[in-house]
Amino acid sequence: MLKLQLGPDTARLKTHHFISHLFTQQNSSDFAKLFDDTLMDIALTNNEVFSVMTDSGEKIRLFDRVSEFLTDVSKRDAFCRAIVNKLVEFSFEGIFDQKFDFYATIFEYLIKDYNSNSGGKYAEYYTPHAVARIMAEILVPKETQGHIKNVSCYDPSAGSGTLLMNVAHAIGENRCSIYTQDISQKSSNLLRLNLILNNLVHSIPNVIQGNTMLNPVHKDAGELKQFDYIVSNPPFKLDFSDFRDDLDSKENKGRFFAGIPKVPPKDKKKMPIYQLFLQHIICSLKPNGKAAVVVPTGFVTAQSGIDPKIRKRLIDDKILAGVVSMPSNIFATTGTNVSILFIDATNKESVVLLDASNLGQKVKEGENQKTLLSNEEELRIIDVFNSKRVEEGFSVVLSYDEIAAKSYSLSAGQYFDVKIEYVDITAEQFSSKMKEFGENLDLLFAESRELEVLIKKQLAGLKYD
């Protein structure tokens, strides 16, 4: 009767699945097998709800046999006992109060560790939560939170879902559905766990593991599905030469409207794949949708290639909300300067360009230097952007025509006024100043001549020795 009252997203557990049961059985022989069998039985019992799909339709179950990741068989029992002993002592009550924020630090730690050991092939950067919060608070301002219902949120390079969790938290987890795709199986597993822990189980069927550029799975009637909100921190550079030519098709002409990067003759790893993701995002946005995308800061000013064509599209179609140029080293794993591009299909008036590059405090994190924003600095960025406020040397508010006239540059610094201060003085004051400058110059020249004589004497002495 209890099971009949539970929602379809609730996990079904048997009594021998409970942590308390495993705790009482930990002295059993071959405990590692019992532990793994329990995980597998939970996964199979709940496979319809908690499995993730690949782009070929294969289901990836919730758990693997954890102990088998240890190659030393003799240590498996002790390893599984240690896990159960940690879990049985842990109080999960705080989770229900802190909700999303409870997991934020944990996931940042896990993803940082994963990226540092994965070679960065599929996840060059993990998104710091300061960046994720800024993106969410600008996409979903405080005054709109609680008033949004039944919206779709999408990330074509989702990783563990940090950006999506922030946006879903701002909207309300029960008011939105999450859609994702990511090529990495490890990232998809972490994303699924993040969805489970954040009361977004209903979105797990929308999690796809696969190559978004080559095979975008989320479609409506054969066309790209369009979403209310899109967030993404796509890989910036990646060798996709093995499928580059497959993208250059009639089917993709509309999606990659600005072009497909060519294969460089020397370093294929530097292929700017973010240009593909950005074009894909623009084409996946609803007519009234909003998006926030992390891009290399070079994108905002580049004058050749694909970048200016994308910027031209954003300005000519009047779908840009603004750009925030972030401090260097805001991502600890890369020295690449980044900006956040905010797209808003309803913003037809003015555009905000904000230069936050001088904010933050430099700290050492391992071998890397990282810039940390204070809470006050985060709030300043959010408030200035959302209120479209002009602050000298920090932000400008421009018309689309003004940006077009500057070669579609999205760098705030190129629009800051160059100020020259003038001071009114009398003719006598001017003469006095000039006389002072002249006397100072005479003094400096005299010192220079004395030094010249001294140096010549020293050189002559060295030559004599």
Side-chain angles (χ1 to χ4, degrees):
M1 289 297 294
L2 174 61
K3 285 185 177 181
L4 289 174
Q5 295 176 49
L6 296 175
D9 298 340
T10 306
R12 267 59 175 172
L13 297 180
K14 303 167 187 175
T15 53
H16 64 272
H17 293 159
F18 292 172
I19 295 170
S20 56
H21 176 78
L22 287 172
F23 180 74
T24 61
Q25 298 296 313
Q26 63 178 304
N27 292 321
S28 303
S29 60
D30 204 3
F31 179 70
K33 182 178 183 304
L34 174 63
F35 183 84
D36 285 343
D37 286 347
T38 302
L39 290 181
M40 295 305 297
D41 194 33
I42 293 171
L44 291 172
T45 302
N46 297 279
N47 203 39
E48 289 302 312
V49 177
F50 294 104
S51 61
V52 168
M53 299 285 286
T54 66
D55 53 6
S56 62
E58 180 186 350
K59 287 185 177 181
I60 302 174
R61 60 178 177 261
L62 180 60
F63 296 124
D64 290 313
R65 303 186 73 84
V66 174
S67 72
E68 292 179 4
F69 287 100
L70 273 73
T71 54
D72 189 339
V73 176
S74 65
K75 295 181 178 179
R76 290 178 178 176
D77 284 349
F79 173 70
C80 293
R81 289 190 191 103
I83 293 175
V84 169
N85 284 324
K86 284 289 183 184
L87 290 173
V88 79
E89 295 172 357
F90 185 77
S91 173
F92 291 87
E93 291 179 3
I95 295 173
F96 301 101
D97 295 327
Q98 297 181 47
K99 206 177 179 183
F100 162 79
D101 294 332
F102 183 90
Y103 305 101
T105 306
I106 297 172
F107 269 85
E108 181 162 338
Y109 175 81
L110 287 172
I111 297 303
K112 179 177 66 174
D113 182 61
Y114 161 52
N115 281 317
S116 64
N117 292 308
S118 68
K121 184 175 181 182
Y122 296 128
E124 188 176 356
Y125 323 116
Y126 71 96
T127 310
H129 283 277
V131 176
R133 283 191 294 268
I134 289 169
M135 292 169 73
E137 293 288 337
I138 290 176
L139 282 180
V140 190
K142 289 286 187 187
E143 60 270 18
T144 67
Q145 293 179 15
H147 302 287
I148 301 170
K149 294 181 180 179
N150 302 323
V151 294
S152 56
C153 304
Y154 174 56
D155 189 338
S157 57
S160 70
T162 298
L163 293 176
L164 286 166
M165 295 307 105
N166 277 270
V167 171
H169 187 53
I171 294 170
E173 288 84 356
N174 61 338
R175 297 168 178 266
C176 64
S177 295
I178 301 295
Y179 293 80
T180 74
Q181 191 163 342
D182 196 287
I183 200 170
S184 166
Q185 181 175 344
K186 286 184 179 180
S187 292
S188 295
N189 286 341
L190 288 168
L191 169 61
R192 170 171 50 187
L193 180 57
N194 218 347
L195 291 172
I196 292 169
L197 298 177
N198 283 284
N199 198 31
L200 286 160
V201 173
H202 61 276
S203 291
I204 289 179
N206 305 326
V207 174
I208 303 296
Q209 180 202 320
N211 188 327
T212 311
M213 296 300 98
L214 189 61
N215 184 24
V217 172
H218 296 297
K219 293 186 175 182
D220 281 334
E223 300 294 326
L224 283 181
K225 183 176 177 64
Q226 295 189 315
F227 302 92
D228 298 290
Y229 292 91
I230 303 178
V231 287
S232 187
N233 175 24
F236 289 172
K237 295 178 181 179
L238 189 72
D239 178 7
F240 60 96
S241 57
D242 55 338
F243 63 86
R244 187 266 173 205
D245 291 343
D246 295 328
L247 299 176
D248 194 4
S249 63
K250 183 179 179 181
E251 181 186 15
N252 281 324
K253 286 293 182 185
R255 182 162 68 129
F256 302 130
F257 56 86
I260 300 170
K262 295 178 180 178
V263 180
K266 293 184 179 179
D267 195 350
K268 295 179 181 179
K269 293 179 182 178
K270 292 185 177 180
M271 296 178 71
I273 195 169
Y274 76 90
Q275 295 173 341
L276 296 181
F277 276 97
L278 188 48
Q279 293 177 80
H280 172 83
I281 287 166
I282 292 170
C283 294
S284 300
L285 200 60
K286 282 186 177 181
N288 61 343
K290 296 182 179 183
V293 189
V294 180
V295 296
T297 294
F299 164 81
V300 304
T301 56
Q303 291 301 307
S304 62
I306 292 173
D307 288 337
K309 295 178 182 177
I310 298 175
R311 298 201 310 268
K312 187 175 187 301
R313 172 74 168 263
L314 294 170
I315 300 303
D316 290 351
D317 288 2
K318 295 186 176 181
I319 58 172
L320 182 66
V323 176
V324 177
S325 295
M326 300 298 290
S328 60
N329 301 112
I330 196 75
F331 289 77
T333 51
T334 176
T336 303
N337 288 340
V338 305
S339 294
I340 308 173
L341 188 71
F342 290 93
I343 304 169
D344 184 349
T346 66
N347 184 58
K348 303 302 180 184
E349 300 301 326
S350 55
V351 176
V352 182
L353 302 182
L354 193 151
D355 182 4
S357 60
N358 294 320
L359 299 184
Q361 180 182 1
K362 306 290 183 185
V363 296
K364 195 78 173 174
E365 189 172 275
E367 297 180 358
N368 299 308
Q369 184 171 327
K370 185 178 180 180
T371 302
L372 296 178
L373 293 173
S374 66
N375 289 334
E376 292 75 18
E377 288 171 326
E378 286 181 37
L379 292 173
R380 181 187 177 194
I381 292 170
I382 294 164
D383 183 50
V384 169
F385 193 101
N386 284 344
S387 62
K388 291 191 173 183
R389 191 167 72 243
V390 176
E391 288 192 6
E392 184 178 338
F394 187 66
S395 63
V396 290
V397 178
L398 305 161
S399 69
Y400 285 104
D401 290 340
E402 288 176 303
I403 296 174
K406 281 264 191 178
S407 301
Y408 296 91
S409 171
L410 301 180
S411 172
Q414 292 193 14
Y415 299 90
F416 291 153
D417 291 332
V418 177
K419 294 194 173 182
I420 302 174
E421 293 187 1
Y422 296 91
V423 179
D424 289 330
I425 59 175
T426 64
E428 289 78 13
Q429 288 174 324
F430 177 77
S431 298
S432 176
K433 285 283 183 184
M434 292 303 293
K435 183 181 179 182
E436 184 182 340
F437 292 149
E439 290 172 350
N440 286 337
L441 281 173
D442 290 339
L443 181 62
L444 290 170
F445 282 133
E447 290 178 354
S448 175
R449 284 191 291 271
E450 289 176 5
L451 286 170
E452 184 180 355
V453 171
L454 180 61
I455 291 169
K456 284 181 177 179
K457 285 182 178 179
Q458 289 176 337
L459 288 174
L462 287 171
K463 186 177 181 181
Y464 176 78
D465 289 342

